Amino acid sequence: MHSGKDMIPLSEAAHLAVRRISLMSESKIGTESQRLDTAAIALSVDVPIYTIDDRGALQRIDRAALLTGRIRDGGRRLVFDDKRPPITSLVVAKDEALKALDGLAALNIARAVNASDSRSRDGEDRR
């Protein structure tokens, strides 16, 4: 099991992913919550997501919760359509996230972010 010391926020891992593959300027990436959410979702395919409870203990978020929830706020919350409260304090193991970025997950992240960009551009073209 991981310790809290080797964990980073999911939002930070998503930011690293977007920054690593994006042609956008650094300042614009930080304001694009949808791009960060998309990168966080792509990371969650290959990297376990955890939450830190009030006592500081790590708890892995199960696959069912990831499939039924939606990552929002730049990778900071997992929200649900039912009455469950959102899961916050989302973290990943730093070494696993970096390894995923260097491996095949980077391709998934690139595809997901590019798909998100295409939808955004399509929406802008309709205005």
Short mmCIF file of all heavy atoms in Angstrom, two decimals, residues 9-15 18 32-51 61-81 84-92 109 112 116 119:
data_model
loop_
_atom_site.label_atom_id
_atom_site.label_comp_id
_atom_site.label_asym_id
_atom_site.label_seq_id
_atom_site.Cartn_x
_atom_site.Cartn_y
_atom_site.Cartn_z
N PRO A 9 -2.11 14.91 -5.79
CA PRO A 9 -3.51 15.09 -6.15
C PRO A 9 -3.76 14.64 -7.60
O PRO A 9 -2.92 14.85 -8.48
CB PRO A 9 -3.73 16.60 -6.00
CG PRO A 9 -2.67 17.05 -5.06
CD PRO A 9 -1.49 16.16 -5.34
N LEU A 10 -4.91 14.04 -7.84
CA LEU A 10 -5.28 13.66 -9.19
C LEU A 10 -5.28 14.87 -10.11
O LEU A 10 -4.87 14.79 -11.27
CB LEU A 10 -6.66 12.97 -9.19
CG LEU A 10 -7.23 12.58 -10.55
CD1 LEU A 10 -6.29 11.62 -11.29
CD2 LEU A 10 -8.61 11.99 -10.39
N SER A 11 -5.70 16.01 -9.59
CA SER A 11 -5.72 17.23 -10.40
C SER A 11 -4.31 17.60 -10.87
O SER A 11 -4.12 18.07 -11.99
CB SER A 11 -6.35 18.39 -9.62
OG SER A 11 -5.62 18.62 -8.42
N GLU A 12 -3.32 17.39 -10.03
CA GLU A 12 -1.92 17.67 -10.41
C GLU A 12 -1.45 16.69 -11.48
O GLU A 12 -0.79 17.09 -12.45
CB GLU A 12 -1.02 17.59 -9.18
CG GLU A 12 0.42 17.96 -9.46
CD GLU A 12 1.29 17.91 -8.21
OE1 GLU A 12 0.79 18.18 -7.11
OE2 GLU A 12 2.48 17.59 -8.35
N ALA A 13 -1.78 15.42 -11.32
CA ALA A 13 -1.41 14.42 -12.33
C ALA A 13 -2.08 14.74 -13.66
O ALA A 13 -1.46 14.63 -14.73
CB ALA A 13 -1.79 13.02 -11.86
N ALA A 14 -3.34 15.17 -13.62
CA ALA A 14 -4.05 15.54 -14.85
C ALA A 14 -3.39 16.75 -15.49
O ALA A 14 -3.24 16.81 -16.72
CB ALA A 14 -5.52 15.83 -14.54
N HIS A 15 -2.99 17.70 -14.68
CA HIS A 15 -2.31 18.89 -15.20
C HIS A 15 -0.99 18.50 -15.88
O HIS A 15 -0.68 18.99 -16.96
CB HIS A 15 -2.07 19.90 -14.08
CG HIS A 15 -1.44 21.17 -14.55
ND1 HIS A 15 -2.17 22.15 -15.16
CD2 HIS A 15 -0.16 21.59 -14.52
CE1 HIS A 15 -1.35 23.14 -15.49
NE2 HIS A 15 -0.13 22.82 -15.10
N VAL A 18 -1.87 16.90 -19.28
CA VAL A 18 -2.28 17.88 -20.29
C VAL A 18 -1.08 18.72 -20.73
O VAL A 18 -0.87 18.94 -21.92
CB VAL A 18 -3.44 18.76 -19.77
CG1 VAL A 18 -3.72 19.91 -20.72
CG2 VAL A 18 -4.68 17.92 -19.57
N GLU A 32 -8.63 25.32 -17.90
CA GLU A 32 -9.46 24.43 -18.69
C GLU A 32 -9.86 23.20 -17.88
O GLU A 32 -9.29 22.12 -18.05
CB GLU A 32 -8.74 24.04 -19.97
CG GLU A 32 -8.50 25.21 -20.87
CD GLU A 32 -9.33 25.14 -22.13
OE1 GLU A 32 -9.91 24.08 -22.40
OE2 GLU A 32 -9.40 26.15 -22.82
N SER A 33 -10.84 23.35 -17.03
CA SER A 33 -11.28 22.26 -16.15
C SER A 33 -11.71 21.03 -16.94
O SER A 33 -11.43 19.90 -16.55
CB SER A 33 -12.41 22.75 -15.26
OG SER A 33 -12.81 21.75 -14.38
N GLN A 34 -12.38 21.23 -18.06
CA GLN A 34 -12.84 20.09 -18.85
C GLN A 34 -11.67 19.26 -19.37
O GLN A 34 -11.71 18.03 -19.35
CB GLN A 34 -13.70 20.56 -20.02
CG GLN A 34 -14.25 19.41 -20.85
CD GLN A 34 -15.08 19.89 -22.02
OE1 GLN A 34 -15.08 21.07 -22.36
NE2 GLN A 34 -15.79 18.97 -22.64
N ARG A 35 -10.61 19.91 -19.82
CA ARG A 35 -9.43 19.19 -20.32
C ARG A 35 -8.78 18.41 -19.17
O ARG A 35 -8.34 17.29 -19.35
CB ARG A 35 -8.43 20.16 -20.95
CG ARG A 35 -8.93 20.74 -22.25
CD ARG A 35 -8.01 21.85 -22.77
NE ARG A 35 -6.64 21.41 -22.94
CZ ARG A 35 -6.16 20.79 -24.01
NH1 ARG A 35 -6.96 20.50 -25.01
NH2 ARG A 35 -4.90 20.45 -24.09
N LEU A 36 -8.72 19.01 -18.00
CA LEU A 36 -8.14 18.33 -16.85
C LEU A 36 -9.01 17.14 -16.43
O LEU A 36 -8.48 16.07 -16.11
CB LEU A 36 -7.95 19.30 -15.69
CG LEU A 36 -6.91 20.41 -15.93
CD1 LEU A 36 -6.97 21.42 -14.80
CD2 LEU A 36 -5.53 19.85 -16.10
N ASP A 37 -10.32 17.31 -16.45
CA ASP A 37 -11.23 16.20 -16.13
C ASP A 37 -11.02 15.05 -17.12
O ASP A 37 -10.96 13.89 -16.72
CB ASP A 37 -12.69 16.65 -16.19
CG ASP A 37 -13.07 17.58 -15.07
OD1 ASP A 37 -12.34 17.66 -14.06
OD2 ASP A 37 -14.11 18.25 -15.20
N THR A 38 -10.92 15.38 -18.40
CA THR A 38 -10.73 14.36 -19.42
C THR A 38 -9.41 13.63 -19.21
O THR A 38 -9.36 12.39 -19.30
CB THR A 38 -10.77 15.00 -20.82
OG1 THR A 38 -12.02 15.68 -20.98
CG2 THR A 38 -10.63 13.96 -21.91
N ALA A 39 -8.35 14.35 -18.90
CA ALA A 39 -7.06 13.72 -18.64
C ALA A 39 -7.13 12.85 -17.39
O ALA A 39 -6.57 11.75 -17.35
CB ALA A 39 -5.97 14.78 -18.49
N ALA A 40 -7.83 13.31 -16.36
CA ALA A 40 -7.98 12.52 -15.13
C ALA A 40 -8.74 11.23 -15.39
O ALA A 40 -8.38 10.17 -14.87
CB ALA A 40 -8.68 13.35 -14.05
N ILE A 41 -9.77 11.31 -16.21
CA ILE A 41 -10.53 10.11 -16.57
C ILE A 41 -9.63 9.14 -17.32
O ILE A 41 -9.62 7.94 -17.04
CB ILE A 41 -11.78 10.49 -17.41
CG1 ILE A 41 -12.78 11.26 -16.54
CG2 ILE A 41 -12.42 9.25 -18.02
CD1 ILE A 41 -13.84 11.99 -17.33
N ALA A 42 -8.87 9.64 -18.27
CA ALA A 42 -7.96 8.77 -19.02
C ALA A 42 -6.92 8.14 -18.10
O ALA A 42 -6.62 6.95 -18.23
CB ALA A 42 -7.29 9.56 -20.14
N LEU A 43 -6.40 8.90 -17.16
CA LEU A 43 -5.43 8.35 -16.20
C LEU A 43 -6.07 7.25 -15.36
O LEU A 43 -5.41 6.25 -15.05
CB LEU A 43 -4.91 9.45 -15.28
CG LEU A 43 -3.74 10.28 -15.79
CD1 LEU A 43 -3.52 11.47 -14.88
CD2 LEU A 43 -2.49 9.43 -15.90
N SER A 44 -7.34 7.41 -15.02
CA SER A 44 -7.99 6.43 -14.14
C SER A 44 -8.12 5.05 -14.77
O SER A 44 -8.34 4.08 -14.07
CB SER A 44 -9.36 6.94 -13.69
OG SER A 44 -10.30 6.86 -14.74
N VAL A 45 -7.95 4.96 -16.08
CA VAL A 45 -7.99 3.66 -16.75
C VAL A 45 -6.80 2.81 -16.31
O VAL A 45 -6.93 1.60 -16.12
CB VAL A 45 -8.00 3.85 -18.28
CG1 VAL A 45 -7.83 2.52 -19.00
CG2 VAL A 45 -9.28 4.54 -18.73
N ASP A 46 -5.64 3.44 -16.16
CA ASP A 46 -4.41 2.70 -15.86
C ASP A 46 -3.82 2.95 -14.49
O ASP A 46 -2.90 2.24 -14.08
CB ASP A 46 -3.34 3.06 -16.91
CG ASP A 46 -3.70 2.55 -18.30
OD1 ASP A 46 -4.12 1.38 -18.40
OD2 ASP A 46 -3.58 3.32 -19.26
N VAL A 47 -4.31 3.95 -13.79
CA VAL A 47 -3.73 4.32 -12.50
C VAL A 47 -4.82 4.27 -11.43
O VAL A 47 -5.87 4.92 -11.58
CB VAL A 47 -3.13 5.74 -12.56
CG1 VAL A 47 -2.56 6.16 -11.23
CG2 VAL A 47 -2.06 5.83 -13.65
N PRO A 48 -4.62 3.52 -10.35
CA PRO A 48 -5.62 3.49 -9.28
C PRO A 48 -5.80 4.89 -8.66
O PRO A 48 -4.83 5.62 -8.47
CB PRO A 48 -5.02 2.54 -8.25
CG PRO A 48 -4.01 1.73 -8.99
CD PRO A 48 -3.49 2.62 -10.08
N ILE A 49 -7.05 5.22 -8.40
CA ILE A 49 -7.39 6.50 -7.78
C ILE A 49 -7.75 6.22 -6.32
O ILE A 49 -8.47 5.27 -6.02
CB ILE A 49 -8.59 7.16 -8.50
CG1 ILE A 49 -8.38 7.23 -10.01
CG2 ILE A 49 -8.87 8.55 -7.90
CD1 ILE A 49 -7.25 8.10 -10.47
N TYR A 50 -7.27 7.07 -5.44
CA TYR A 50 -7.51 6.93 -4.02
C TYR A 50 -8.14 8.21 -3.49
O TYR A 50 -8.08 9.27 -4.12
CB TYR A 50 -6.20 6.70 -3.25
CG TYR A 50 -5.47 5.45 -3.65
CD1 TYR A 50 -4.57 5.46 -4.71
CD2 TYR A 50 -5.65 4.26 -2.95
CE1 TYR A 50 -3.88 4.31 -5.09
CE2 TYR A 50 -4.96 3.10 -3.31
CZ TYR A 50 -4.08 3.14 -4.39
OH TYR A 50 -3.41 2.00 -4.75
N THR A 51 -8.72 8.11 -2.31
CA THR A 51 -9.15 9.28 -1.56
C THR A 51 -8.47 9.21 -0.20
O THR A 51 -8.10 8.13 0.27
CB THR A 51 -10.69 9.34 -1.42
OG1 THR A 51 -11.04 10.58 -0.80
CG2 THR A 51 -11.25 8.18 -0.65
N ILE A 61 -10.51 3.96 -4.55
CA ILE A 61 -11.86 4.11 -5.10
C ILE A 61 -12.09 2.94 -6.05
O ILE A 61 -11.30 2.72 -6.97
CB ILE A 61 -12.02 5.46 -5.81
CG1 ILE A 61 -11.81 6.59 -4.81
CG2 ILE A 61 -13.38 5.56 -6.49
CD1 ILE A 61 -11.77 7.96 -5.42
N ASP A 62 -13.17 2.20 -5.81
CA ASP A 62 -13.39 1.01 -6.63
C ASP A 62 -13.85 1.38 -8.04
O ASP A 62 -14.33 2.48 -8.30
CB ASP A 62 -14.36 0.04 -5.95
CG ASP A 62 -15.76 0.59 -5.76
OD1 ASP A 62 -16.17 1.53 -6.47
OD2 ASP A 62 -16.47 0.07 -4.89
N ARG A 63 -13.67 0.43 -8.93
CA ARG A 63 -13.98 0.62 -10.34
C ARG A 63 -15.45 1.00 -10.54
O ARG A 63 -15.76 1.84 -11.37
CB ARG A 63 -13.62 -0.66 -11.11
CG ARG A 63 -13.86 -0.64 -12.58
CD ARG A 63 -13.00 0.25 -13.41
NE ARG A 63 -11.58 0.07 -13.25
CZ ARG A 63 -10.68 0.94 -13.69
NH1 ARG A 63 -11.05 2.02 -14.32
NH2 ARG A 63 -9.41 0.74 -13.50
N ALA A 64 -16.35 0.40 -9.77
CA ALA A 64 -17.78 0.69 -9.92
C ALA A 64 -18.06 2.17 -9.67
O ALA A 64 -18.84 2.79 -10.39
CB ALA A 64 -18.59 -0.18 -8.97
N ALA A 65 -17.43 2.74 -8.65
CA ALA A 65 -17.62 4.17 -8.35
C ALA A 65 -17.07 5.03 -9.49
O ALA A 65 -17.69 6.03 -9.87
CB ALA A 65 -16.97 4.54 -7.03
N LEU A 66 -15.93 4.63 -10.02
CA LEU A 66 -15.35 5.40 -11.14
C LEU A 66 -16.23 5.32 -12.38
O LEU A 66 -16.34 6.29 -13.14
CB LEU A 66 -13.94 4.90 -11.46
CG LEU A 66 -12.88 5.26 -10.42
CD1 LEU A 66 -11.58 4.51 -10.70
CD2 LEU A 66 -12.64 6.76 -10.38
N LEU A 67 -16.88 4.18 -12.58
CA LEU A 67 -17.74 4.02 -13.76
C LEU A 67 -19.07 4.74 -13.62
O LEU A 67 -19.63 5.22 -14.61
CB LEU A 67 -17.99 2.53 -14.03
CG LEU A 67 -16.78 1.74 -14.52
CD1 LEU A 67 -17.09 0.26 -14.60
CD2 LEU A 67 -16.30 2.26 -15.87
N THR A 68 -19.59 4.84 -12.39
CA THR A 68 -20.89 5.49 -12.20
C THR A 68 -20.77 6.97 -11.89
O THR A 68 -21.74 7.70 -12.02
CB THR A 68 -21.70 4.80 -11.07
OG1 THR A 68 -20.95 4.84 -9.87
CG2 THR A 68 -22.04 3.37 -11.44
N GLY A 69 -19.59 7.39 -11.46
CA GLY A 69 -19.38 8.80 -11.13
C GLY A 69 -18.78 9.56 -12.29
O GLY A 69 -18.46 9.00 -13.34
N ARG A 70 -18.64 10.86 -12.10
CA ARG A 70 -18.02 11.73 -13.10
C ARG A 70 -16.95 12.56 -12.40
O ARG A 70 -17.22 13.18 -11.36
CB ARG A 70 -19.07 12.66 -13.72
CG ARG A 70 -20.10 11.94 -14.55
CD ARG A 70 -21.10 12.89 -15.21
NE ARG A 70 -21.49 14.03 -14.38
CZ ARG A 70 -22.52 14.05 -13.54
NH1 ARG A 70 -23.26 13.00 -13.40
NH2 ARG A 70 -22.81 15.13 -12.84
N ILE A 71 -15.76 12.56 -12.96
CA ILE A 71 -14.68 13.38 -12.41
C ILE A 71 -14.92 14.81 -12.84
O ILE A 71 -15.13 15.08 -14.03
CB ILE A 71 -13.30 12.85 -12.87
CG1 ILE A 71 -13.06 11.45 -12.28
CG2 ILE A 71 -12.20 13.82 -12.45
CD1 ILE A 71 -11.79 10.78 -12.73
N ARG A 72 -14.89 15.71 -11.88
CA ARG A 72 -15.19 17.12 -12.14
C ARG A 72 -14.20 18.03 -11.42
O ARG A 72 -13.40 17.60 -10.61
CB ARG A 72 -16.62 17.46 -11.66
CG ARG A 72 -17.70 16.77 -12.47
CD ARG A 72 -17.76 17.37 -13.88
NE ARG A 72 -18.81 16.82 -14.67
CZ ARG A 72 -18.63 15.92 -15.64
NH1 ARG A 72 -17.44 15.45 -15.90
NH2 ARG A 72 -19.64 15.48 -16.35
N ASP A 73 -14.32 19.31 -11.71
CA ASP A 73 -13.51 20.36 -11.08
C ASP A 73 -12.02 20.14 -11.29
O ASP A 73 -11.22 20.26 -10.37
CB ASP A 73 -13.83 20.48 -9.59
CG ASP A 73 -15.27 20.88 -9.34
OD1 ASP A 73 -15.84 21.59 -10.18
OD2 ASP A 73 -15.83 20.46 -8.31
N GLY A 74 -11.66 19.77 -12.51
CA GLY A 74 -10.23 19.62 -12.83
C GLY A 74 -9.60 18.41 -12.16
O GLY A 74 -8.41 18.40 -11.90
N GLY A 75 -10.40 17.38 -11.88
CA GLY A 75 -9.89 16.17 -11.23
C GLY A 75 -9.92 16.24 -9.72
O GLY A 75 -9.31 15.41 -9.05
N ARG A 76 -10.66 17.19 -9.17
CA ARG A 76 -10.70 17.34 -7.71
C ARG A 76 -11.83 16.57 -7.02
O ARG A 76 -11.76 16.30 -5.83
CB ARG A 76 -10.81 18.82 -7.35
CG ARG A 76 -9.54 19.57 -7.62
CD ARG A 76 -9.68 21.04 -7.24
NE ARG A 76 -8.42 21.73 -7.43
CZ ARG A 76 -8.00 22.22 -8.58
NH1 ARG A 76 -8.74 22.08 -9.67
NH2 ARG A 76 -6.84 22.84 -8.66
N ARG A 77 -12.90 16.23 -7.79
CA ARG A 77 -14.05 15.57 -7.16
C ARG A 77 -14.60 14.49 -8.09
O ARG A 77 -14.55 14.62 -9.30
CB ARG A 77 -15.19 16.57 -6.90
CG ARG A 77 -14.84 17.66 -5.96
CD ARG A 77 -16.01 18.59 -5.63
NE ARG A 77 -16.84 18.92 -6.77
CZ ARG A 77 -18.18 18.95 -6.74
NH1 ARG A 77 -18.82 18.69 -5.63
NH2 ARG A 77 -18.87 19.27 -7.80
N LEU A 78 -15.15 13.45 -7.47
CA LEU A 78 -15.91 12.43 -8.18
C LEU A 78 -17.35 12.60 -7.74
O LEU A 78 -17.66 12.44 -6.55
CB LEU A 78 -15.37 11.03 -7.83
CG LEU A 78 -16.05 9.85 -8.52
CD1 LEU A 78 -15.82 9.89 -10.03
CD2 LEU A 78 -15.52 8.54 -7.95
N VAL A 79 -18.21 12.98 -8.67
CA VAL A 79 -19.61 13.27 -8.33
C VAL A 79 -20.52 12.20 -8.92
O VAL A 79 -20.17 11.53 -9.90
CB VAL A 79 -20.04 14.67 -8.83
CG1 VAL A 79 -19.20 15.76 -8.17
CG2 VAL A 79 -19.96 14.78 -10.34
N PHE A 80 -21.69 12.06 -8.31
CA PHE A 80 -22.64 11.03 -8.70
C PHE A 80 -24.01 11.67 -8.96
O PHE A 80 -24.36 12.68 -8.37
CB PHE A 80 -22.77 9.98 -7.58
CG PHE A 80 -21.45 9.35 -7.23
CD1 PHE A 80 -20.67 9.85 -6.19
CD2 PHE A 80 -20.98 8.27 -7.95
CE1 PHE A 80 -19.45 9.28 -5.87
CE2 PHE A 80 -19.75 7.69 -7.64
CZ PHE A 80 -18.99 8.20 -6.60
N ASP A 81 -24.79 11.02 -9.83
CA ASP A 81 -26.14 11.51 -10.12
C ASP A 81 -27.13 11.13 -9.04
O ASP A 81 -28.15 11.79 -8.88
CB ASP A 81 -26.62 10.96 -11.47
CG ASP A 81 -25.91 11.60 -12.64
OD1 ASP A 81 -25.45 12.76 -12.51
OD2 ASP A 81 -25.80 10.95 -13.69
N ARG A 84 -25.54 9.93 -3.46
CA ARG A 84 -24.23 9.77 -2.80
C ARG A 84 -23.49 11.11 -2.78
O ARG A 84 -23.53 11.86 -3.76
CB ARG A 84 -23.37 8.77 -3.56
CG ARG A 84 -23.75 7.34 -3.32
CD ARG A 84 -22.81 6.42 -4.05
NE ARG A 84 -23.16 6.44 -5.47
CZ ARG A 84 -22.53 5.75 -6.40
NH1 ARG A 84 -21.48 5.00 -6.09
NH2 ARG A 84 -22.91 5.80 -7.66
N PRO A 85 -22.81 11.38 -1.69
CA PRO A 85 -22.02 12.62 -1.65
C PRO A 85 -20.81 12.48 -2.57
O PRO A 85 -20.35 11.35 -2.84
CB PRO A 85 -21.59 12.72 -0.19
CG PRO A 85 -21.64 11.33 0.32
CD PRO A 85 -22.73 10.64 -0.43
N PRO A 86 -20.29 13.58 -3.07
CA PRO A 86 -19.10 13.50 -3.91
C PRO A 86 -17.90 12.98 -3.11
O PRO A 86 -17.84 13.14 -1.89
CB PRO A 86 -18.86 14.94 -4.36
CG PRO A 86 -19.67 15.79 -3.46
CD PRO A 86 -20.74 14.95 -2.85
N ILE A 87 -17.00 12.35 -3.81
CA ILE A 87 -15.74 11.92 -3.20
C ILE A 87 -14.70 12.98 -3.54
O ILE A 87 -14.54 13.36 -4.70
CB ILE A 87 -15.31 10.54 -3.73
CG1 ILE A 87 -16.37 9.48 -3.41
CG2 ILE A 87 -13.96 10.14 -3.15
CD1 ILE A 87 -16.11 8.12 -4.05
N THR A 88 -14.04 13.46 -2.51
CA THR A 88 -13.03 14.51 -2.70
C THR A 88 -11.67 13.98 -2.27
O THR A 88 -11.52 12.81 -1.94
CB THR A 88 -13.41 15.76 -1.89
OG1 THR A 88 -13.50 15.40 -0.51
CG2 THR A 88 -14.74 16.35 -2.35
N SER A 89 -10.69 14.84 -2.26
CA SER A 89 -9.32 14.48 -1.89
C SER A 89 -8.83 13.32 -2.74
O SER A 89 -8.30 12.33 -2.23
CB SER A 89 -9.22 14.14 -0.39
OG SER A 89 -9.61 15.24 0.39
N LEU A 90 -9.00 13.44 -4.05
CA LEU A 90 -8.58 12.40 -4.98
C LEU A 90 -7.07 12.48 -5.19
O LEU A 90 -6.54 13.55 -5.48
CB LEU A 90 -9.30 12.55 -6.32
CG LEU A 90 -10.83 12.53 -6.27
CD1 LEU A 90 -11.41 12.80 -7.65
CD2 LEU A 90 -11.34 11.22 -5.71
N VAL A 91 -6.41 11.34 -5.04
CA VAL A 91 -4.96 11.29 -5.19
C VAL A 91 -4.57 10.04 -5.97
O VAL A 91 -5.35 9.08 -6.08
CB VAL A 91 -4.22 11.30 -3.83
CG1 VAL A 91 -4.48 12.61 -3.07
CG2 VAL A 91 -4.61 10.11 -2.98
N VAL A 92 -3.36 10.08 -6.51
CA VAL A 92 -2.77 8.93 -7.19
C VAL A 92 -1.33 8.79 -6.71
O VAL A 92 -0.74 9.75 -6.20
CB VAL A 92 -2.78 9.09 -8.73
CG1 VAL A 92 -4.19 9.11 -9.27
CG2 VAL A 92 -2.04 10.34 -9.17
N ILE A 109 -4.50 9.39 -23.03
CA ILE A 109 -4.72 10.77 -22.58
C ILE A 109 -4.75 11.69 -23.78
O ILE A 109 -5.62 12.55 -23.90
CB ILE A 109 -3.64 11.18 -21.57
CG1 ILE A 109 -3.80 10.36 -20.28
CG2 ILE A 109 -3.70 12.68 -21.28
CD1 ILE A 109 -2.62 10.42 -19.36
N ALA A 112 -8.04 11.26 -25.59
CA ALA A 112 -9.15 11.81 -24.82
C ALA A 112 -9.14 13.33 -24.85
O ALA A 112 -10.18 13.96 -25.05
CB ALA A 112 -9.09 11.31 -23.38
N SER A 116 -11.86 15.83 -26.60
CA SER A 116 -12.47 16.92 -25.86
C SER A 116 -12.28 18.24 -26.59
O SER A 116 -13.20 19.04 -26.71
CB SER A 116 -11.84 17.00 -24.45
OG SER A 116 -12.33 18.12 -23.77
N ARG A 119 -14.67 18.42 -29.58
CA ARG A 119 -16.04 18.76 -29.18
C ARG A 119 -16.14 20.24 -28.83
O ARG A 119 -17.12 20.89 -29.18
CB ARG A 119 -16.48 17.89 -27.99
CG ARG A 119 -16.81 16.47 -28.39
CD ARG A 119 -17.48 15.72 -27.26
NE ARG A 119 -16.64 15.59 -26.09
CZ ARG A 119 -15.76 14.61 -25.89
NH1 ARG A 119 -15.61 13.68 -26.79
NH2 ARG A 119 -15.04 14.57 -24.79
#
